[in-house]
Amino acid sequence: MRIERVVARAFGPFHGEVLDLAPGLNVIAGPNEAGKSTWHAAIRLALTGVRRGKGPGTAAERQLAERHRPWGQDDQWLVEARITLDDGRRIDIAQDLAGKVACRATDVGLGRDVSNEILDGTPDASRWLGLDREAFASTVCVSQAQILSVADAAEQLQEHMQRAAATRGTDATAAEAIARLEQFRRDAVGADTVAAKGPLRTARNRLAAAEAALADARARHEAYLEQAAGLEQAERRAEEARRALDEAEAALARRDSLRIAEKLALVEQLSARHPRPPQPIAELDDGARQVARALQAWDDRPQLPSLAGASAEALEAELASLPPAPEGDTRPHASVLDAARGLDLADEALRQHGAPPESGAPLDDSWTPQQLRELARRLRAPQLPDAARLEAQLASARAESGAVPSRWQLPALAAVVLLGLGGALGILVDPVIGVGIAVAGAAAAAVAWFLGGSRRRARARVAALETALAPYRQAAAAAERDRHAAIATARDAGLPIEPEAVDTLADRAASAAHDHQLAAAWDARHASLEARQATARAALLGALQERGAEVSGLEPREALARYVAASEERSIQAERAARAEGLGRQLEARRVAEAALGAATRARQAADVRIREAALIARLDADAEPTGLVAALRAWQEHRSAQIERQAGEVAEWERLQALLAGTSLAALRSEAAERARRAEELDGALVSPAARALVDAPGLEGRIARLREELATEQGAADRLGGSLRQLAAGLPSVAEAEESAAAAAAEMERVESAAQVIDEALGLLRAAEEQVHRSLAPVLNDAVARWLPDVCDGAYDEVSVDPATLGVSVKERESGQWRQVRLLSEGTREQIYLLLRVAMAQHLVTTGETAPLLLDEVTAQSDGTRKRRLLEVLHGLSTERQIVLFTHDDEVARWADASLDPGRDRLVRLASPWSSDPGLLPAPMQTVG
């Protein structure tokens, strides 16, 4: 068994906190009041729950509730855990520790309730270990204060230890004898106390129960009828959920069948095309690479440059005759152009603004549109659809109440007559006859009471509906009064009283206000555009003046035109002056071209040589014309590429075939396809409706099936619980005669149990003789388990150990002196370490189911010095390879050891934050996972 996580829904100071655990050694470190003891208790109670029974419980249970109930929420005490069993099952356990009702153990993989496997009032996961709550707390859950308490709980652990011995075959005869003794005590005699449940006390209680059975019969019968109706509804819901699940599973089976059929067809096609693996693609040989390089060199050969144009001497003479460069802008400057565009945009924006809008005449502003709409709402008649529905239900209930037959009147009259007659005859004639007639009268009264139940329920429904209608009627009256007040208001104001006319007036008022807003907005926009135009004109004149243009006495656009004309004249002069640089580049280019002509000629000759060498490789005529050789080499290269491409296609199809087979054979795939088809045919009966057939192509079908399974499990569980409860009620509907017979049988049973007590006393002597032999068989098991780790934790000071199974007293042998020492007389730290090993041994050997028990340790290193503390931690780390261990500690040295020594893959260190800590490195949540 391994604990994956614990969720404290409402536990002590925690609300919704989660503690995740690793499969190996988990060290939970934190200061005092950080929640270590709370998490320790939460893990234990999440697994075992609490005892369900009448009364306040034991002192220990009351103390546990006082310490760990949620703060300020006494009605909610919830904790959950997820565990993994050794057989691979993952179980979610939810414990309602306050109500002890909403407790459940669920198989996560199957979505199935498995509470009945471990039910002991509430789910108790220690039963998977072959233990109970007390034995689990005495062995698996260990705190510093409880380490030595294992000796005090020796008698409590005997039954579990002997069961372990019997299971493991150590001494089956003695263990079975003790088990038979305990079973005989429970079954044959039991205790004679008020809370006892044995046969002796049962016989005493049966007589009292029989006397109360008659009074309880009528109440049970009514409860039986109510639960029968609830069971019918629950079974109907479960059947609907089962039908939906069958449809979804059938659709999934049909879809899987279609998909695997398509896959099989593709695999068969590829298998027929490639009965054996194709040859791997070979690399291009050296000749192919040389041919490719030769063709690339041919394609890259340079063209011969042309030397047409003026000579160098002519270019030098023309360069000397060019004018100098002019001063000033040769083209309009960007700042001038930007200013001109700004003026254009300002003019265009003013032109586009258009004429001002016409504003309508305003209406009387004594009523706003909102006030008019509110008046129209009040003028409308109130609508209360729920009131009409309740009125209809009330009329129907009154009709049903009047239609209920008064079948109870005749039995009631008969009861009155019979009771009176029985009383008279009992006094005047014969008491026995009078009692008999009176009993018949009582039976008639019971029948009348039962038959009058339908009429009472009908009248109760009428009263409930009248109560529900009262506020609706009051609301309708208030709304009608408000409507009449609104009519008076409208008339006083000279307004129409029709809601639609008032709504029209509200719309007109809103439209007039909107027109006035538009006119004001147009005026403001026009003023803004005129200001923008003036700013743009000043900006254009400023830009022209900065570029040296004449602007005095000129309009902005006229000054701009003169500036542009002057720039064009300077541009023509600049173009002629700029030819000097171009002529110099032409002269230099002429000289470079002559050099390039020589290099290109040599490169073309080299490319021709390489083509002829490649022709020899491709077995062509090397003396042929170069252009023909290039064409032939390209054809040879295409042929080689086609061969490689075909081979690559075959390899790709083969790889796809292997991917589809996924390591299986074609026969296995055919078998799987046939099985899927058979499964689909079996479930095809569920796909009878169009909606069910449409599920085959529906997305998220697997999720739908999971949800339907959960729904079916929930509904079926509810139906099963109701059915079980109903069967119990049906089996427990007693009669008066049966109660009398039960009382007589109880007296006879008590006599039998008392006579059997003498036999029990004789059996005790025999079983006590066998108990010593059982203890001797258990001693070597515990001795070997403790001695395995004893030298490590005690630094070799003690090398042998002896455990008395009857008292769990431990003695160790000192290595140097050879003396046996009682552990209770050793130092406190050594004593706690040895008893901790005894806890580990019992956790291993008390488990009779083969399941691995975890260990929950709280502050078990507090009394150890530094050296022994590290040795004990190393022992716990070694033990964590066999079972999960959760260690709670406040010791910083233990936390540092865990940080340096734990394996992140299977161990975990969790640091709990102090509730008053202000360290920004700690999480605000009550815990922090470090490794």
Side-chain angles (χ1 to χ4, degrees):
M1 178 186 297
R2 181 175 68 82
I3 307 167
E4 293 187 18
R5 68 166 179 264
V6 179
V7 183
R9 295 290 182 195
F11 197 95
F14 298 152
H15 296 278
E17 303 298 335
V18 180
L19 178 62
D20 293 314
L21 300 175
L25 178 59
N26 298 268
V27 177
I28 316 299
N32 292 332
E33 297 189 16
K36 301 186 299 299
S37 298
T38 302
W39 277 118
H40 187 268
I43 295 174
R44 175 166 73 91
L45 294 184
L47 296 180
T48 66
V50 295
R51 180 181 65 89
R52 176 189 292 174
K54 297 181 179 179
T58 64
E61 291 172 346
R62 292 195 299 273
Q63 183 181 8
L64 181 68
E66 292 173 357
R67 290 188 60 191
H68 299 299
R69 270 187 177 273
W71 297 355
Q73 295 183 6
D74 293 337
D75 57 333
Q76 294 289 327
W77 191 15
L78 307 173
V79 65
E80 300 175 5
R82 171 167 290 184
I83 63 175
T84 300
L85 301 179
D86 290 355
D87 59 4
R89 289 189 297 167
R90 302 178 73 197
I91 308 296
D92 276 350
I93 302 178
Q95 300 285 7
D96 176 11
L97 304 176
K100 305 175 186 176
V101 175
C103 304
R104 185 173 182 178
T106 305
D107 189 320
V108 177
L110 300 178
R112 181 182 302 163
D113 189 349
V114 295
S115 303
N116 59 337
E117 296 182 16
I118 55 173
L119 196 62
D120 183 17
T122 58
D124 179 8
S126 66
R127 286 180 166 263
W128 274 318
L129 303 172
L131 304 176
D132 56 21
R133 293 185 178 92
E134 290 74 19
F136 187 89
S138 299
T139 56
V140 175
C141 295
V142 185
S143 68
Q144 180 186 1
Q146 296 172 337
I147 291 178
L148 304 182
S149 65
V150 66
D152 299 332
E155 293 181 359
Q156 177 185 351
L157 298 176
Q158 291 306 307
E159 177 184 353
H160 300 283
M161 295 174 61
Q162 291 157 7
R163 188 184 307 132
T167 302
R168 299 176 185 278
T170 306
D171 189 347
T173 303
E176 289 177 2
I178 293 177
R180 289 172 183 173
L181 172 62
E182 298 297 333
Q183 186 66 35
F184 190 51
R185 286 175 177 174
R186 290 192 297 270
D187 296 343
V189 180
D192 191 11
T193 61
V194 175
K197 298 181 181 179
L200 183 60
R201 192 63 191 179
T202 301
R204 296 187 186 277
N205 294 335
R206 283 178 59 188
L207 186 58
E211 294 173 351
L214 183 59
D216 188 53
R218 296 187 183 97
R220 291 190 181 182
H221 184 70
E222 185 175 353
Y224 177 83
L225 293 177
E226 292 178 357
Q227 290 201 17
L231 174 61
E232 182 179 356
Q233 295 178 0
E235 288 178 344
R236 182 169 61 253
R237 290 193 299 268
E239 181 60 29
E240 292 174 356
R242 184 178 294 105
R243 183 165 55 253
L245 177 60
D246 291 343
E247 291 177 352
E249 289 180 342
L252 181 62
R254 174 57 60 192
R255 186 171 69 184
D256 291 344
S257 175
L258 295 175
R259 289 181 177 177
I260 199 169
E262 294 175 357
K263 178 180 177 181
L264 177 61
L266 181 58
V267 168
E268 288 179 340
Q269 179 183 359
L270 293 176
S271 298
R273 194 180 301 164
H274 303 287
R276 61 182 59 85
Q279 293 295 328
I281 301 175
E283 296 182 358
L284 294 174
D285 54 15
D286 186 62
R289 287 192 294 271
Q290 291 185 25
V291 169
R293 286 195 292 267
L295 290 174
Q296 186 63 38
W298 178 265
D299 293 336
D300 295 342
R301 71 191 191 281
Q303 297 293 332
L304 295 177
S306 176
L307 297 181
S311 64
E313 292 80 4
L315 293 174
E316 290 174 357
E318 185 177 0
L319 183 62
S321 64
L322 293 178
E327 295 182 359
D329 292 341
T330 59
R331 63 182 65 184
H333 194 263
S335 61
V336 175
L337 296 178
D338 291 341
R341 280 195 298 271
L343 180 57
D344 292 340
L345 292 175
D347 292 343
E348 181 62 20
L350 188 60
R351 186 183 65 81
Q352 292 291 341
H353 188 50
E358 296 180 359
S359 59
L363 295 178
D364 184 9
D365 58 356
S366 59
W367 286 81
T368 65
Q370 292 78 11
Q371 291 174 338
L372 290 171
R373 290 191 176 94
E374 176 61 22
L375 180 61
R377 183 193 64 78
R378 295 175 57 197
L379 289 172
R380 288 185 173 86
Q383 299 293 328
L384 297 174
D386 288 342
R389 177 178 56 81
L390 290 176
E391 290 284 1
Q393 291 180 359
L394 178 59
S396 176
R398 285 175 174 168
E400 291 178 1
S401 176
V404 173
S406 299
R407 293 179 296 174
W408 60 276
Q409 295 177 353
L410 183 60
L413 180 62
V416 173
V417 173
L418 290 174
L419 288 173
L421 182 61
L425 292 177
I427 296 173
L428 301 176
V429 181
D430 188 352
V432 176
I433 297 175
V435 170
I437 295 176
V439 169
V447 171
W449 180 85
F450 176 73
L451 293 177
S454 299
R455 190 176 186 85
R456 290 195 299 275
R457 286 191 292 272
R459 290 177 177 176
R461 184 165 180 260
V462 170
L465 288 172
E466 288 178 345
T467 302
L469 266 172
Y472 285 96
R473 290 170 175 170
Q474 295 174 1
E480 187 63 23
R481 288 194 298 272
D482 184 65
R483 190 172 73 87
H484 286 296
I487 292 174
T489 300
R491 286 174 175 169
D492 293 342
L495 297 173
I497 63 173
E498 293 79 11
E500 294 78 9
V502 176
D503 282 334
T504 302
L505 290 177
D507 294 339
R508 290 176 57 192
S511 177
H514 180 67
D515 291 341
H516 283 286
Q517 291 176 357
L518 291 178
W522 187 92
D523 293 338
R525 175 65 175 168
H526 189 76
S528 175
L529 292 176
E530 287 179 342
R532 176 184 174 185
Q533 184 186 47
T535 302
R537 290 169 62 86
L540 178 57
L541 291 175
L544 290 171
Q545 192 171 7
E546 287 180 358
R547 301 310 301 174
E550 181 64 29
V551 297
S552 177
L554 298 177
E555 287 293 325
R557 295 193 181 279
E558 183 180 357
L560 175 63
R562 293 184 180 184
Y563 168 75
V564 171
S567 298
E568 290 177 352
E569 293 177 358
R570 286 191 294 270
S571 176
I572 295 172
Q573 181 181 349
E575 287 179 359
R576 293 191 61 199
R579 290 192 59 197
E581 183 179 357
L583 289 175
R585 288 196 299 271
Q586 289 181 13
L587 178 60
E588 184 178 357
R590 173 74 181 197
R591 293 169 181 169
V592 171
E594 291 177 352
L597 177 61
T601 302
R602 292 190 295 271
R604 292 176 68 87
Q605 291 174 353
D608 182 83
V609 171
R610 297 188 69 173
I611 283 295
R612 298 186 184 280
E613 292 174 351
L616 294 175
I617 294 173
R619 298 181 180 180
L620 301 175
D621 185 8
D623 296 331
E625 193 270 330
T627 304
L629 286 178
V630 169
L633 287 173
R634 292 190 190 279
W636 180 85
Q637 194 177 40
E638 290 177 0
H639 176 70
R640 177 63 60 88
S641 298
Q643 288 179 337
I644 294 174
E645 184 176 357
R646 285 194 302 274
Q647 193 170 359
E650 293 177 356
V651 171
E653 288 187 350
W654 174 259
E655 291 176 351
R656 185 181 183 189
L657 174 62
Q658 300 308 308
L660 289 173
L661 289 174
T664 62
S665 63
L666 179 59
L669 187 60
R670 288 171 178 165
S671 176
E672 182 182 357
E675 177 62 24
R676 295 282 180 88
R678 184 191 64 77
R679 174 64 176 167
E681 290 296 330
E682 289 179 354
L683 301 179
D684 222 20
L687 301 177
V688 294
S689 65
R693 290 192 295 273
L695 291 176
V696 176
D697 300 323
L701 190 54
E702 292 80 359
R704 177 185 177 90
I705 291 175
R707 292 192 300 273
L708 288 174
R709 285 175 178 167
E710 293 180 359
E711 180 181 351
L712 177 58
T714 301
E715 298 297 343
Q716 189 62 51
D720 292 343
R721 287 192 295 273
L722 286 174
S725 177
L726 194 63
R727 287 191 295 272
Q728 290 179 358
L729 287 177
L733 291 176
S735 66
V736 177
E738 290 175 352
E740 293 176 350
E741 293 176 359
S742 298
E749 178 67 14
M750 182 177 299
E751 182 180 358
R752 184 192 66 78
V753 173
E754 290 176 346
S755 64
Q758 298 177 355
V759 180
I760 295 174
D761 293 336
E762 295 177 1
L764 285 172
L766 297 174
L767 293 176
R768 287 186 181 123
E771 187 179 16
E772 180 64 22
Q773 182 61 33
V774 173
H775 290 168
R776 293 184 180 277
S777 66
L778 287 172
V781 175
L782 295 179
N783 292 346
D784 294 343
V786 176
R788 175 185 176 188
W789 302 101
L790 180 64
D792 293 333
V793 300
C794 295
D795 199 16
Y798 308 99
D799 57 356
E800 292 185 33
V801 63
S802 175
V803 180
D804 183 0
T807 63
L808 295 183
V810 182
S811 300
V812 292
K813 185 177 182 181
E814 194 173 24
R815 179 188 296 274
E816 293 183 0
S817 64
Q819 296 294 323
W820 285 92
R821 309 286 186 186
Q822 293 184 8
V823 170
R824 62 184 180 87
L825 301 178
L826 300 178
S827 67
E828 187 173 1
T830 302
R831 185 168 66 250
E832 289 182 354
Q833 292 168 355
I834 293 176
Y835 269 101
L836 177 60
L837 294 180
L838 180 59
R839 290 269 194 168
V840 175
M842 289 192 300
Q844 177 179 357
H845 294 284
L846 287 182
V847 175
T848 61
T849 60
E851 192 74 28
T852 304
L855 284 177
L856 309 179
L857 311 178
D858 188 9
E859 300 292 359
V860 297
T861 62
Q863 300 298 330
S864 302
D865 56 29
T867 301
R868 289 199 176 184
K869 184 183 299 181
R870 288 190 296 274
R871 291 181 181 274
L872 181 60
L873 291 172
E874 291 172 357
V875 169
L876 293 177
H877 199 192
L879 285 170
S880 68
T881 61
E882 304 172 359
R883 66 188 68 249
Q884 184 186 41
I885 297 178
V886 183
L887 172 63
F888 293 86
T889 181
H890 74 281
D891 195 340
D892 290 336
E893 185 178 354
V894 175
R896 289 192 296 272
W897 175 89
D899 198 13
S901 304
L902 293 185
D903 179 9
R906 61 182 307 276
D907 303 323
R908 179 166 295 170
L909 169 62
V910 178
R911 294 187 184 273
L912 300 180
S914 172
W916 55 82
S917 174
S918 60
D919 186 354
L922 292 177
L923 294 177
M927 66 180 140
Q928 179 185 34
T929 299
V930 176

